[in-house]
Amino acid sequence: MESVVFFENFKREDVLSNLLSAFQKEMQSVDQIIRNKIVSDVTNVPDISNHIFISGGKRLRPLLTLASARLTEYAGKSHITLAASVELMHTATLLHDDVVDESDMRRGRQTARMGWGNAASVLVGDYLLGQAFRLMVSTGSIPALKVLSDAAAIIAEGEVLQLSIMNNLDTTEDAYMRVVDSKTAALFSAATEVGALIGDQDHSVAAALASYGRNLGIAFQLVDDVLDYGHSSDIGKNAGDDFREGKITLPIILAYRRGDESEREFWRRTIEARDQKEDDFEKACNLLTKYKTLEDTRDRAAHYGSIAKDALVTFRETETRQQMLDVINFCISRAY
Amino acid sequence: MESVVFFENFKREDVLSNLLSAFQKEMQSVDQIIRNKIVSDVTNVPDISNHIFISGGKRLRPLLTLASARLTEYAGKSHITLAASVELMHTATLLHDDVVDESDMRRGRQTARMGWGNAASVLVGDYLLGQAFRLMVSTGSIPALKVLSDAAAIIAEGEVLQLSIMNNLDTTEDAYMRVVDSKTAALFSAATEVGALIGDQDHSVAAALASYGRNLGIAFQLVDDVLDYGHSSDIGKNAGDDFREGKITLPIILAYRRGDESEREFWRRTIEARDQKEDDFEKACNLLTKYKTLEDTRDRAAHYGSIAKDALVTFRETETRQQMLDVINFCISRAY
């Protein structure tokens, strides 16, 4: 099986740092563009922007744009601009997400809204989105603009959908997967697709990279959901945030369905009514373990990872292709 | 003086309805595009969008795009798309503004956030902004995209600036005018400029229309500020909202500076500390009258109106030019 070849010798810890060093110079240019775009003499705009950018994050989405451009042997400079634009879009959604979710912590630090308030977080999010659009317009690539503006609308629609299923245990796995597809996978897909489109690649090449990005994004989100029920604080945000917010994610959907009546009553109290006692998070984790829903969610993630892998099969065997395959393993196996 | 010719025989009440009937067919197409863009099977997206669109508004910004295109004899269809895009951008900012200002009423109806909550209002605002970008990208006009994406960032920056001067009576008229220029005038300016750019007009023509739009927008906002201290409920939003929110606007800036020490103490208590008693709004209105600051704010508006008028002088004397001049008078003299 070809997957064995792809997946063997995989060292999880090294993947992201390998990738970052392979794209270090370009990522520095991406960061420079972002730094230039968050300059403003209006108080709070650079403060809030710096706060969220300095706190880091994996820079996975812009890396994927750079990788897609390199995979398709793009020789220009516009992929740097598009990568910066993708990261700015992502950051704008984080600022709005934290307001919507009333989150206190993000990437191990206080959220911007805790320091500067909800109003400023909404508006600076709008500003970063505006800057993202200015950047992509500056490339002059209508195909890339089409993909990224489509993604902007789809992401927001997905966030509204997520809000509408909030605290609702009747949510089906299918309904949840639609949320994941739009709120997370749409930007991964756009990030990789524009890396191909900027080099005027054929539709089939752009479609293959879009498929890689989309399925990678789904896998990434599902593992993110799993990590929120981990006991580690490595992921930066508070483990247990999803539970406390009564957020419906795949581990919960599966545990609710697989549980007995008294267990369902527990989920209804804690997730739907959000009436939570001190040891409820531990009890929730035990139920997820009992019904193997974290394992199964990682299995579902691996399924999408396989699709992402197959999307790359038609590309020549290059170092870049291997790096992009490694990213899939990173996303599936990651513990942070 | 030429201004006499332009401004005489002006019937305030008829201007907007005249303009609307002159552009009725095109505005119907604009509305149809907007209706198509707020379709979504995600609950709340069409509900919130319809709520804010059905409540009306003057549709002034898309009308200005249509008028600019007609003035420059554009023969295509893309101005309709751009006009719809401009109105969607505007509506997105209204949804976010109401969250930021914690407003209860807009256009005589409850704000979306009162019916659906802040979270959904933020996200549906993002969705409408995404749809606005999709629309403008669909025209394929990079010059128009550049102007509109610049405006998106500038508007958000202006909103943050407004937030930073909130409740601060030391704000200078200059600082406030910068807020007006970015949060309001930038979109008016973009609306008119893209009406010229879509027809590949010379830079000088586009610049003249941008100047018309910008100065008209400033005049519009200053009169808006005046109307918030009117005794009428015609404007839809609650008269007195700005006062209750401690919003710094030109009538307040002037009254604070012109007042004696006990009056300044009144403003510090009501605007800075937001410690307001039942008859404070009436007392505030009396102070604005005493120092003629509503009159003077309208005078300032008229000044910008004159600049807007002069921006149109180089265009041929057509019906459309006359209608655009009439809009200036409407904006300056309007009571709603």
Side-chain angles (χ1 to χ4, degrees):
Chain A
M1 232 177 81
E2 198 177 49
S3 68
V4 178
V5 178
F6 284 125
F7 286 167
E8 73 184 354
N9 298 325
F10 167 69
K11 296 191 197 82
R12 196 190 69 208
E13 295 73 13
D14 299 333
V15 169
L16 259 198
S17 51
N18 278 350
L19 197 68
L20 275 164
S21 66
F23 289 89
Q24 190 176 17
K25 224 179 130 189
E26 286 170 295
M27 273 306 289
Q28 280 169 351
S29 303
V30 170
D31 277 354
Q32 190 54 54
I33 291 176
I34 291 174
R35 269 197 295 276
N36 291 343
K37 279 289 156 184
I38 62 183
V39 167
S40 166
D41 63 343
V42 174
T43 327
N44 290 346
V45 171
D47 300 342
I48 294 178
S49 307
N50 275 317
H51 175 83
I52 192 154
F53 277 109
I54 285 170
S55 63
K58 288 175 276 297
R59 300 274 201 275
L60 197 49
R61 294 160 190 81
L63 264 173
L64 290 171
T65 302
L66 299 178
S68 286
R70 190 179 290 181
L71 187 75
T72 53
E73 297 172 33
Y74 173 64
K77 297 267 184 213
S78 291
H79 63 311
I80 309 272
T81 310
L82 290 174
S85 178
V86 162
E87 184 68 2
L88 279 165
M89 271 180 76
H90 172 55
T91 311
T93 65
L94 294 185
L95 282 171
H96 287 188
D97 279 358
D98 287 340
V99 171
V100 167
D101 294 341
E102 302 177 2
S103 302
D104 305 342
M105 299 287 285
R106 154 92 53 198
R107 296 172 178 170
R109 306 180 74 196
Q110 270 206 340
T111 52
R113 72 179 204 96
M114 298 304 287
W116 289 271
N118 284 334
S121 292
V122 169
L123 297 176
V124 174
D126 289 348
Y127 176 72
L128 295 180
L129 194 60
Q131 294 292 59
F133 277 109
R134 289 172 97 165
L135 275 177
M136 62 184 93
V137 169
S138 75
T139 68
S141 166
I142 292 288
L145 280 161
K146 194 181 167 327
V147 166
L148 287 167
S149 60
D150 284 355
I154 291 166
I155 291 164
E157 202 174 31
E159 302 269 5
V160 181
L161 186 61
Q162 175 167 263
L163 201 64
S164 73
I165 64 166
M166 196 90 186
N167 314 115
N168 180 1
L169 286 164
D170 290 328
T171 305
T172 60
E173 180 165 349
D174 284 339
Y176 179 64
M177 291 311 295
R178 188 180 160 195
V179 171
V180 171
D181 208 3
S182 44
K183 81 161 184 170
T184 307
L187 188 55
F188 275 78
S189 175
T192 48
E193 189 172 5
V194 297
L197 290 174
I198 196 65
D200 295 323
Q201 293 292 322
D202 278 354
H203 171 72
S204 63
V205 172
L209 282 165
S211 171
Y212 163 80
R214 174 179 172 242
N215 286 285
L216 182 68
I218 295 173
F220 180 88
Q221 182 60 57
L222 292 178
V223 173
D224 223 51
D225 295 346
V226 168
L227 292 173
D228 211 79
Y229 288 92
H231 292 283
S232 120
S233 62
D234 295 346
I235 53 167
K237 65 177 181 174
N238 299 329
D241 270 357
D242 288 352
F243 181 73
R244 270 186 292 277
E245 292 166 12
K247 205 173 255 184
I248 300 293
T249 60
L250 190 51
I252 300 297
I253 290 172
L254 296 177
Y256 178 71
R257 277 152 201 269
R258 294 174 185 178
D260 62 27
E261 192 43 45
S262 80
E263 289 159 352
R264 283 190 196 163
E265 188 47 45
F266 168 80
W267 293 117
R268 279 193 287 266
R269 173 172 63 77
T270 55
I271 298 288
E272 286 196 342
R274 288 183 71 183
D275 167 16
Q276 300 182 3
K277 303 189 180 75
E278 200 169 337
D279 58 351
D280 279 343
F281 180 60
E282 203 186 326
K283 194 170 171 199
C285 289
N286 291 339
L287 285 175
L288 301 188
T289 306
K290 176 178 175 187
Y291 290 105
K292 295 190 176 18
T293 72
L294 297 177
E295 256 176 273
D296 286 351
T297 301
R298 278 202 190 261
D299 280 352
R300 304 281 213 273
H303 159 83
Y304 293 101
S306 299
I307 301 174
K309 180 175 68 65
D310 276 317
L312 293 185
V313 163
T314 51
F315 291 90
R316 277 202 308 123
E317 281 187 47
T318 58
E319 203 184 340
T320 305
R321 188 181 80 156
Q322 189 55 50
Q323 288 159 342
M324 292 175 83
L325 291 169
D326 289 346
V327 170
I328 302 171
N329 279 321
F330 165 76
C331 285
I332 292 169
S333 318
R334 72 198 175 98
Y336 63 96
Chain B
M1 233 178 78
E2 198 176 48
S3 67
V4 178
V5 179
F6 283 125
F7 287 168
E8 72 185 354
N9 298 327
F10 167 69
K11 296 191 195 83
R12 198 191 65 206
E13 295 74 14
D14 299 336
V15 168
L16 260 200
S17 52
N18 278 349
L19 197 66
L20 275 165
S21 67
F23 288 89
Q24 190 175 18
K25 223 179 131 191
E26 286 170 293
M27 273 306 289
Q28 280 168 351
S29 303
V30 170
D31 278 353
Q32 188 55 54
I33 291 178
I34 292 174
R35 267 197 296 274
N36 291 343
K37 279 288 157 187
I38 61 182
V39 167
S40 165
D41 64 343
V42 174
T43 327
N44 288 348
V45 171
D47 300 342
I48 293 179
S49 307
N50 275 318
H51 176 84
I52 193 154
F53 277 110
I54 284 171
S55 63
K58 288 175 277 296
R59 300 274 201 276
L60 196 50
R61 294 159 190 81
L63 264 173
L64 290 171
T65 302
L66 299 179
S68 286
R70 189 179 290 181
L71 187 75
T72 53
E73 297 172 34
Y74 173 63
K77 297 264 184 213
S78 291
H79 64 310
I80 308 271
T81 310
L82 290 174
S85 179
V86 162
E87 185 69 1
L88 279 165
M89 273 179 75
H90 173 56
T91 310
T93 64
L94 294 184
L95 281 171
H96 286 187
D97 280 0
D98 287 339
V99 171
V100 166
D101 294 341
E102 301 176 2
S103 303
D104 305 340
M105 298 286 285
R106 152 90 58 196
R107 296 172 178 168
R109 305 180 75 195
Q110 269 206 340
T111 52
R113 73 179 203 96
M114 298 304 287
W116 289 272
N118 283 334
S121 293
V122 169
L123 297 175
V124 174
D126 290 348
Y127 176 73
L128 295 180
L129 194 59
Q131 295 291 60
F133 277 109
R134 290 173 98 165
L135 275 177
M136 62 185 91
V137 169
S138 75
T139 68
S141 165
I142 292 288
L145 280 161
K146 195 179 167 326
V147 165
L148 286 167
S149 61
D150 284 355
I154 291 167
I155 291 164
E157 202 173 32
E159 302 268 6
V160 181
L161 187 61
Q162 176 166 263
L163 201 64
S164 72
I165 65 167
M166 195 90 186
N167 314 117
N168 180 1
L169 286 163
D170 289 329
T171 304
T172 60
E173 179 164 349
D174 284 339
Y176 178 64
M177 291 312 295
R178 189 179 159 197
V179 171
V180 171
D181 209 2
S182 44
K183 79 160 187 170
T184 307
L187 189 55
F188 274 79
S189 174
T192 47
E193 189 172 6
V194 297
L197 290 174
I198 197 64
D200 294 323
Q201 293 292 322
D202 279 355
H203 171 73
S204 63
V205 172
L209 281 165
S211 171
Y212 163 79
R214 174 178 172 245
N215 287 286
L216 182 68
I218 295 173
F220 180 87
Q221 181 61 57
L222 292 178
V223 173
D224 222 48
D225 294 345
V226 168
L227 293 174
D228 210 78
Y229 288 91
H231 293 281
S232 120
S233 62
D234 294 345
I235 53 167
K237 65 177 180 176
N238 298 329
D241 271 356
D242 288 352
F243 181 72
R244 269 186 294 275
E245 292 165 14
K247 205 172 257 186
I248 301 293
T249 60
L250 191 51
I252 300 296
I253 291 172
L254 296 177
Y256 178 71
R257 277 152 200 270
R258 293 173 186 179
D260 63 27
E261 193 43 45
S262 80
E263 288 159 352
R264 284 190 195 163
E265 189 45 48
F266 167 81
W267 294 115
R268 279 193 287 267
R269 172 172 63 77
T270 55
I271 298 288
E272 287 196 341
R274 289 184 69 184
D275 166 17
Q276 299 182 5
K277 302 189 182 76
E278 200 171 339
D279 59 351
D280 279 343
F281 180 60
E282 202 185 327
K283 195 170 169 198
C285 288
N286 291 338
L287 285 176
L288 301 187
T289 306
K290 176 178 175 187
Y291 290 105
K292 296 190 178 12
T293 73
L294 297 178
E295 255 177 272
D296 286 351
T297 300
R298 279 203 188 259
D299 280 353
R300 304 283 211 273
H303 160 83
Y304 292 101
S306 299
I307 301 174
K309 179 176 67 67
D310 277 316
L312 293 185
V313 164
T314 51
F315 290 90
R316 275 200 310 123
E317 281 187 47
T318 58
E319 203 183 342
T320 305
R321 188 180 82 155
Q322 189 55 49
Q323 287 159 341
M324 292 175 82
L325 291 168
D326 289 346
V327 170
I328 303 173
N329 279 321
F330 165 76
C331 285
I332 292 170
S333 319
R334 73 198 175 98
Y336 63 97

